[in-house]
Amino acid sequence: MAKADLQTIVILGAGAGGLAAAIALGAAGYRVLVLEAAAGPGGKLRQVTAAGQAYDAGPTVLTMKWVFDGLLARCGLRLEDGLPLTRADVIARHYWARQDREGGACLDLFADPAESRRAIADFAGADNEEGFRRFTEDSARVFALLRDSFIDAARPNPVSLSRRIGLHRPGALFALQPFTTLWSALGRYFPDPRLRQLFGRYATYCGSSPFLSPATLMLVAHVEQAGLWLVEGGMHALARHLAAIAEGLGVRFLYGEAVRAIHSDAAGQAVTGVEMESGQFIPASQIIYNGDAAALGGLLGQTPAPSRAGGRSRGRSLSALVVCGPARPRGVELAHHTVFFSENYRDEFDAIFRDGRPPDDPTIYVCAQDRDAAGQLGEGHAAGAAERLYCLMNMPADGDRRLYQESDIEKCLTAMDRRLAANGLTAGRLRDAQIVTSPDRFAALYPGSGGALYGKASHGWMASFSRPGSRGPLQGLYLAGGSVHPGPGVPMAALSGKLAADLLMADMGSTSRSRLAATVGGMSMR
């Protein structure tokens, strides 16, 4: 059977996972239709317009470029073909509370580990410099152990992961430190609590608390040092670029098309197609669902189980309050990525995960979208003109249970400005022009999530094994996105799409071989 004769494969969602799946399938010659409820591609790689300018309003960091290079190699392309990229020399700038009139304590991390070691020695002394050397070595080791055995592989269980790494290598298994929290592990490397706070923040990259997440997440340090890239036009340009590549492979996109239900056969065992909100039915025997796994049951007609008051957000990852808009910042110097740390990190995460409320003293991440990695404004930026700022504070994922009123948002913005000022920055946001996205808005954008931006929180050593894998609950249904294996983040979601597409193609190949065997067998019996 020629691939062109096969029924169209339907992908629900044009986020990073759906786009990656579309490219993998299109490159292999399959007919693909992508249905996206939004007006364009991207999913969480979204864009908003404030005061006539476009802002990235979702992920702002591109790492693990090898994921996209491997995907696009299937169609003879590289990521930078038609998408200008710049490798950042400064990974991020970090500020703590201001100790004098000149501003807060500041530390830059660099793409060059030797530069970072020198900066840490100047900032916190020789003991912390030595700790950083050991930390980078161990984080690289953890990443090397997990890249092929877990990150870029079908979802394992603890036993199969141990086999992949090698049961004869107990030292390697011990290096993963699955039963130690990230915060506890950091104490072995860094006497200075500010550095524990800095590297503990890596837990938030998967929407989690460093006090509850496994030490395995130290691998994020290696991921960043292996390459952090700035995309010309912002991260949303990456989504548009991937969609254009998919279209060049013959993939069709229908935007503004929301799906009401996924239908199955009379036995409830295999998918038969999707029903659109418009009432149109699109037949399909292979579907890749690129959405939050928590919303899948509703599309399959399952009634959600009742929950206790306040219990619906249990296990969810972080949400956020994101502010995008023009600003005239004053005070300490911004890099492209700058973090302003709170006074008490544990209190911040206790507020979110234990108490289910916005933190009174949040850590603030600022992306200065008109600046290069080191913080220089572009040549075309007029002197004295406002620049584009993206400010984020972590929030509880309660967007399906709480409607954030203007007074709630104002309280959060006040806490945000108070922390920035304590660390030396007056943001100078032009409030009449800014766009604010709160957890309830994220819940509306991403059905089933409650505003959680990373699926389930990675709390406890079993969390990574509890995410769904590529195979869905029905025959012909496959899963992709940041809420499934291998986890959240743009490259990880892209990997999930590639894994889903590869599994789908393997299943279709197996089916074709079975049909061929049956045909040959029938002929031989005649």
Side-chain angles (χ1 to χ4, degrees):
M1 181 184 297
K3 291 175 182 175
D5 297 329
L6 294 173
Q7 188 182 46
T8 298
I9 298 167
V10 172
I11 298 175
L12 307 185
L19 293 171
I23 290 171
L25 292 167
Y30 290 91
R31 294 192 303 181
V32 181
L33 172 64
V34 181
L35 303 174
E36 170 56 56
K44 291 187 175 72
L45 282 168
R46 68 190 190 103
Q47 190 178 70
V48 299
T49 301
Q53 291 185 296
Y55 291 73
D56 274 339
T60 59
V61 176
L62 176 62
T63 57
M64 295 171 65
K65 181 174 172 286
W66 58 268
V67 170
F68 300 96
D69 288 336
L71 174 69
L72 297 182
R74 299 184 179 201
C75 48
L77 296 174
R78 302 174 305 160
L79 183 60
E80 55 265 43
D81 293 335
L83 185 71
L85 303 174
T86 302
R87 186 164 181 170
D89 50 354
V90 176
I91 293 175
R93 182 163 294 159
H94 309 85
Y95 287 104
W96 288 264
R98 179 168 52 186
Q99 303 298 323
D100 52 43
R101 293 182 180 180
E102 295 182 359
C106 177
L107 175 64
D108 284 358
L109 286 186
F110 298 89
D112 181 353
E115 287 291 324
S116 291
R117 286 199 300 273
R118 283 192 286 270
I120 288 174
D122 292 340
F123 179 78
D127 288 348
N128 288 284
E129 177 193 9
E130 170 60 20
F132 178 74
R133 184 193 63 75
R134 292 186 291 108
F135 178 70
T136 54
E137 290 177 353
D138 289 350
S139 65
R141 186 183 185 194
V142 170
F143 179 81
L145 287 169
L146 293 179
R147 171 174 166 166
D148 296 328
S149 63
F150 183 85
I151 295 173
D152 193 13
R155 182 176 69 92
N157 56 44
V159 174
S160 62
L161 177 62
S162 298
R163 288 173 177 163
R164 290 175 185 177
I165 293 175
L167 292 172
H168 60 286
R169 301 168 64 199
L173 295 172
F174 179 76
L176 298 179
Q177 303 185 69
F179 307 114
T180 303
T181 67
L182 178 59
W183 189 261
S184 296
L186 291 172
R188 303 171 186 170
Y189 299 100
F190 303 110
D192 192 311
R194 294 171 300 178
L195 293 176
R196 295 198 292 273
Q197 195 175 25
L198 189 162
F199 293 107
R201 181 174 170 269
Y202 287 149
T204 67
Y205 285 31
C206 59
S208 305
S209 164
F211 302 95
L212 300 171
S213 301
T216 310
L217 291 181
M218 70 169 60
L219 65 83
V220 176
H222 175 74
V223 166
E224 285 198 332
Q225 287 199 333
L228 187 149
W229 304 83
L230 303 185
V231 182
E232 184 174 305
M235 289 291 286
H236 184 68
L238 170 64
R240 296 196 305 270
H241 182 64
L242 295 176
I245 290 173
E247 288 176 334
L249 295 170
V251 175
R252 292 188 298 130
F253 288 81
L254 287 179
Y255 296 115
E257 296 284 346
V259 173
R260 177 184 299 164
I262 298 173
H263 286 255
S264 60
D265 59 15
Q269 295 182 346
V271 296
T272 57
V274 297
E275 179 185 350
M276 312 303 295
E277 289 289 354
S278 64
Q280 179 186 6
F281 179 78
I282 299 176
S285 55
Q286 291 88 25
I287 297 171
I288 295 178
Y289 170 68
N290 174 215
D292 197 291
L296 182 60
L299 291 176
L300 295 175
Q302 301 169 1
T303 302
S307 59
R308 299 184 301 274
R312 292 177 62 189
S313 61
R314 187 180 302 276
R316 288 177 179 169
S317 63
L318 292 168
S319 187
L321 186 134
V322 174
V323 188
C324 295
R328 292 187 173 89
R330 304 186 311 275
V332 296
E333 290 295 322
L334 294 172
H336 188 82
H337 302 293
T338 310
V339 182
F340 296 82
F341 282 108
S342 62
E343 200 73 26
N344 189 315
Y345 219 32
R346 187 179 292 274
D347 284 353
E348 182 177 349
F349 288 97
D350 281 349
I352 295 170
F353 286 109
R354 185 191 67 192
D355 304 335
R357 60 176 176 82
D360 296 326
D361 181 18
T363 292
I364 309 301
Y365 163 69
V366 176
C367 180
Q369 299 190 8
D370 292 317
R371 297 180 182 245
D372 65 15
Q376 297 299 310
L377 288 165
E379 292 181 2
H381 194 274
E387 59 179 290
R388 295 177 302 149
L389 288 193
Y390 162 117
C391 301
L392 176 149
M393 62 178 281
N394 294 320
M395 298 280 282
D398 59 357
D400 54 349
R401 296 185 290 112
R402 177 177 178 178
L403 181 63
Y404 279 77
Q405 306 292 337
E406 185 176 344
S407 59
D408 299 319
I409 293 174
E410 188 60 33
K411 184 178 180 180
C412 290
L413 293 178
T414 299
M416 179 182 289
D417 288 341
R418 186 169 55 240
R419 172 43 52 194
L420 293 174
N423 292 19
L425 183 78
T426 299
R429 292 191 307 274
L430 307 183
R431 290 203 170 200
D432 291 342
Q434 66 190 16
I435 303 293
V436 179
T437 310
S438 50
D440 53 338
R441 177 60 180 149
F442 282 120
L445 286 169
Y446 313 120
S449 69
L453 298 177
Y454 313 85
K456 292 182 178 180
S458 297
H459 293 164
W461 73 277
M462 279 295 292
S464 295
F465 301 108
S466 67
R467 291 181 180 273
S470 302
R471 192 178 299 283
L474 299 177
Q475 181 181 329
L477 180 59
Y478 304 85
L479 309 181
S483 65
V484 306
H485 175 79
V490 176
M492 301 285 264
L495 279 175
S496 77
K498 185 208 74 168
L499 291 170
D502 286 347
L503 178 61
L504 184 156
M505 289 187 284
D507 287 349
M508 292 184 72
S510 176
T511 300
S512 297
R513 288 192 295 273
S514 297
R515 289 175 179 171
L516 178 61
T519 301
V520 172
M523 292 173 61
S524 65
M525 288 188 292
R526 288 191 181 94

